[in-house]
């Protein structure tokens, strides 16, 4: 369904309607001539309903801060759908390019060492309030 729509229409639907519908905020259907067909809205509702049912709470900054672990199941559900699309994707399948990006639900630790270069002049400026005099050769 989204393949036949323009990118601007899809973006408008996602930002103005679908996100609010899933998060149970007041969703407003975009007012564009290309989106006046009621079947489009019905299909979007059917597409978003499983996500809305899985979330089953109104999303706000307060609810995210109170219990961030509650939303992990929703992220896992989205990730499973994305992984399924990657698994069944055939090489050179032009109907579904690009594939959605996979993501990590939890931060992944790294063993990459970070290094910081410290110069004595900068450190002394913090400790003494002034930089050391530079030597001229």
């Amino acid at each position: 369904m989204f393949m036949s729509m323009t990118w601007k229409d899809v973006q408008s639907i996602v930002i103005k309607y679908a996100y609010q519908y899933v998060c149970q905020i007041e969703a407003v259907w975009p007012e564009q001539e290309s989106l006046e067909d009621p079947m489009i809205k019905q299909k979007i509702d059917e597409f978003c309903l499983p996500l809305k049912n899985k979330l089953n709470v109104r999303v706000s900054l307060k609810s995210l801060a109170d219990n961030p672990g509650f939303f992990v199941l929703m992220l896992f559900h989205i990730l499973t759908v994305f992984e399924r699309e990657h698994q069944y994707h055939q090489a050179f399948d032009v109907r579904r390019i690009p594939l959605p990006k996979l993501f990590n639900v939890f931060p992944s630790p790294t063993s990459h060492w970070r290094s910081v270069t410290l110069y004595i002049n900068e450190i002394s400026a913090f400790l003494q309030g002034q930089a050391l005099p530079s030597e001229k050769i």
Side-chain angles (χ1 to χ4, degrees), residues 1-23 26-48:
M1 179 175 87
F2 295 117
M3 294 298 181
S4 61
M5 291 182 166
T6 65
W7 173 246
K8 188 176 179 181
D9 289 344
V10 173
Q11 190 175 17
S12 181
I13 289 172
V14 169
I15 292 172
K16 294 180 181 177
Y17 182 77
Y19 176 78
Q20 283 79 5
Y21 179 76
V22 170
C23 294
E26 297 155 9
V28 178
W29 186 254
E31 296 177 7
Q32 295 174 354
E33 291 180 23
S34 56
L35 301 175
E36 289 179 355
D37 184 13
M39 291 300 294
I40 296 174
K41 186 177 183 296
Q42 182 181 356
K43 287 181 182 180
I44 298 295
D45 288 346
E46 290 173 6
F47 181 76
C48 293

Side-chain angles (χ1 to χ4, degrees), residues 61-119:
L61 290 177
K62 183 174 177 6
S63 65
L64 283 169
D66 287 347
N67 191 4
F70 180 79
F71 301 97
V72 170
L73 291 175
M74 174 74 161
L75 294 174
F76 274 122
H77 174 74
I78 294 170
L79 187 59
T80 336
V81 172
F82 285 2
E83 286 174 345
R84 198 174 312 130
E85 283 191 41
H86 277 262
Q87 183 180 8
Y88 293 120
H89 179 72
Q90 301 294 323
F92 306 109
D93 185 6
V94 294
R95 292 172 291 163
R96 190 66 181 113
I97 293 178
L99 286 171
K101 290 185 179 181
L102 298 177
F103 58 90
N104 288 333
V105 175
F106 300 111
S108 55
T110 178
S111 61
H112 181 73
W113 287 91
R114 307 283 182 202
S115 61
V116 177
T117 305
L118 298 174
Y119 295 102

Side-chain angles (χ1 to χ4, degrees), residues 51-69:
L51 294 174
K52 183 178 180 179
N53 291 339
K54 195 161 277 295
L55 192 56
N56 142 6
V57 69
R58 185 182 173 117
V59 179
S60 66
L61 290 177
K62 183 174 177 6
S63 65
L64 283 169
D66 287 347
N67 191 4

